[in-house]
């Protein structure tokens, strides 16, 4: 019986971290929202807004084999792009790369969580700072947010070298932006969701916080400041990527 409390029962909007949190909330929620601001869900929003269908896939060598099997294009690591292979996890690269019908987009965090969450059978939505408000509106229109049909918002986080979860400021702020758009849903916010939302209320300049956090600085110092600048654009998109039968397309 005690294990049931980890699903944050009785609330309409819930919050947790990483693959394990997604598995826990996926058992009981009517819909899941995955937030990986730097960079998976931002890359998904950019690609879907350009008309691509995005297939999430765990990071690894099997992604290319899977893409070949389904007749899709596979994205590579940021530093592996070339003129013949311009598609990568970089939102900046995806904003200018040729549009393809189907793109396999592997990543160790947001993509792996999305791929695993799809097995639950509930709708999975990709959210970021660019579309958080639109995601909240879409969920409300679909009737999610009651205690009977709760929403689980998952901050992907990053990984330490030993594979353990490293919570990320950028994902907490992205998740909080979705939760802010869900404020007032019939079922209310769980304590965990309310505390995540409090981080947004205490952050007067979200773009500056994302630029200055560890993940933002890591990308900038690695030569990918353009990815950060695309990711910190607030509510500039009405695109809501929804995962259906293993593919993200516009909801």
């Amino acid at each position: 019986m005690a294990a049931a409390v980890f699903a944050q029962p009785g609330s309409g909007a819930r919050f947790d971290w990483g693959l394990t949190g997604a598995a826990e909330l996926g058992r009981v929620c009517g819909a899941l929202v995955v937030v990986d601001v730097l960079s998976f869900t931002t890359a998904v929003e950019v690609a879907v807004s350009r008309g691509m269908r995005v297939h999430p896939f765990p990071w690894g060598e099997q992604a290319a084999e899977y893409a070949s099997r389904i007749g899709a294009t596979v994205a590579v690591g940021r530093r592996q792009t070339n003129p013949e292979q311009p598609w990568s996890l970089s939102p900046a690269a995806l904003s200018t790369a040729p549009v393809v019908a189907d793109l396999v987009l592997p990543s160790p965090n947001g993509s792996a969580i999305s791929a695993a969450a799809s097995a639950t059978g509930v709708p999975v939505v990709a959210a970021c700072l660019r579309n958080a408000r639109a995601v909240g509106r879409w969920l409300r229109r679909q009737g999610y947010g009651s205690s009977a049909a709760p929403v689980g918002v998952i901050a992907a986080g990053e990984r330490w070298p030993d594979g353990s979860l490293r919570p990320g400021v950028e994902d907490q702020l992205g998740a909080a932006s979705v939760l802010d758009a869900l404020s007032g849903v019939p079922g209310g916010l769980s304590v965990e969701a309310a505390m995540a939302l409090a981080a947004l209320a205490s952050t007067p300049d979200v773009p500056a916080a994302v630029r200055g956090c560890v993940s933002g600085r890591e990308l900038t110092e690695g030569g990918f400041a353009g990815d950060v600048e695309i990711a910190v654009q607030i509510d500039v998109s009405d695109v809501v990527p929804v995962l259906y039968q293993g593919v993200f397309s516009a909801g």
Side-chain angles (χ1 to χ4, degrees):
M1 180 65 70
V5 302
F6 295 113
Q8 304 165 37
S11 52
R14 310 174 187 187
F15 170 78
D16 217 315
W17 284 94
L19 190 61
T20 304
E24 184 65 30
L25 293 188
R27 295 187 303 104
V28 295
C29 286
L32 289 178
V33 179
V34 177
V35 182
D36 187 352
V37 170
L38 296 174
S39 298
F40 174 73
T41 54
T42 298
V44 171
E45 185 280 323
V46 169
V48 169
S49 71
R50 300 187 67 208
M52 298 187 235
R53 289 159 36 97
V54 176
H55 302 247
F57 199 85
W59 192 257
E61 295 179 358
Q62 293 181 336
E65 178 185 335
Y66 173 72
S68 177
R69 189 164 69 246
I70 65 171
T73 299
V74 65
V76 295
R78 281 184 173 88
R79 299 187 185 281
Q80 297 174 307
T81 58
N82 56 58
E84 289 72 39
Q85 174 50 282
W87 302 276
S88 78
L89 191 58
S90 161
L94 289 179
S95 69
T96 59
V99 172
V100 294
D102 289 271
L103 180 70
V104 174
L105 187 61
S107 86
N109 301 304
S111 193
I113 293 169
S114 298
S118 68
T120 65
V122 304
V124 179
V125 181
C128 57
L129 292 172
R130 294 169 58 86
N131 70 346
R133 189 67 53 188
V135 167
R137 288 196 301 265
W138 184 88
L139 290 165
R140 286 173 177 270
R141 286 198 303 268
Q142 301 300 315
Y144 298 112
S146 68
S147 56
V151 177
V153 181
I154 306 298
E158 300 289 347
R159 296 281 177 181
W160 288 110
D162 67 359
S164 60
L165 175 71
R166 175 172 70 79
V169 167
E170 70 283 3
D171 292 341
Q172 183 168 1
L173 290 172
S177 297
V178 176
L179 291 166
D180 185 45
L182 292 171
S183 294
V185 292
L189 304 183
S190 69
V191 171
E192 288 74 13
M195 294 304 294
L197 181 55
L200 183 65
S202 63
T203 307
D205 189 338
V206 170
V210 174
R211 292 185 188 103
C213 74
V214 169
S215 299
R217 291 169 58 189
E218 179 184 28
L219 280 177
T220 297
E221 292 173 10
F224 297 99
D227 287 347
V228 180
E229 292 310 305
I230 289 176
V232 300
Q233 294 176 347
I234 307 294
D235 291 325
V236 297
S237 173
D238 289 326
V239 172
V240 179
V242 180
L243 188 62
Y244 178 69
Q245 294 185 343
V247 183
F248 278 112
S249 57

